[in-house]
Amino acid sequence: MAVLFSRIKGILCLLFLPCFCSGQSAPPLLRFSIFLDPSNMVYLRWDHDEQELMTFELQVHTPGWVAFGFSPHGELPGSDIVIGGIFPNGSIYFSVS
């Protein structure tokens, strides 16, 4: 399971940076999607290929930052977390832990 999360971290780094940096990037073809909250502010799209590599896209209406976690058991302790956002001066930050 740790190998899978390591592979996901690498994919997320590549996926999130274009989402934060570009104004009009071509959206990847992702077959699955769901709103994660009742007010439809957090939208997740994902897909996988033949080698079971997963690609995620997270669209969030937020004033500046977002965090997203992966866990084999559905709880915060022991999960892999991605945090990204934009500082008030417009610079972008991105972290995987």
Side-chain angles (χ1 to χ4, degrees), residues 1-94:
M1 189 63 74
V3 172
L4 174 63
F5 287 128
S6 295
R7 291 172 71 184
I8 289 173
K9 285 183 189 180
I11 293 168
L12 286 172
C13 288
L14 295 174
L15 177 64
F16 270 51
L17 287 176
C19 292
F20 282 127
C21 298
S22 66
Q24 295 180 345
S25 61
L29 298 174
L30 303 175
R31 295 178 291 170
F32 309 102
S33 64
I34 189 169
F35 281 100
L36 299 179
D37 66 319
S39 59
N40 294 343
M41 300 290 279
V42 181
Y43 185 61
L44 176 66
R45 294 177 42 194
W46 73 96
D47 206 343
H48 60 86
D49 63 14
E50 296 80 26
Q51 292 82 31
E52 297 187 13
L53 251 81
M54 296 191 73
T55 301
F56 295 91
E57 176 183 285
L58 187 62
Q59 298 175 12
V60 182
H61 295 280
T62 178
W65 67 275
V66 65
F68 190 71
F70 296 91
S71 169
H73 43 73
E75 297 179 5
L76 184 58
S79 64
D80 294 312
I81 299 174
V82 177
I83 302 171
I86 302 173
F87 288 116
N89 68 3
S91 63
I92 298 168
Y93 65 92
F94 183 78

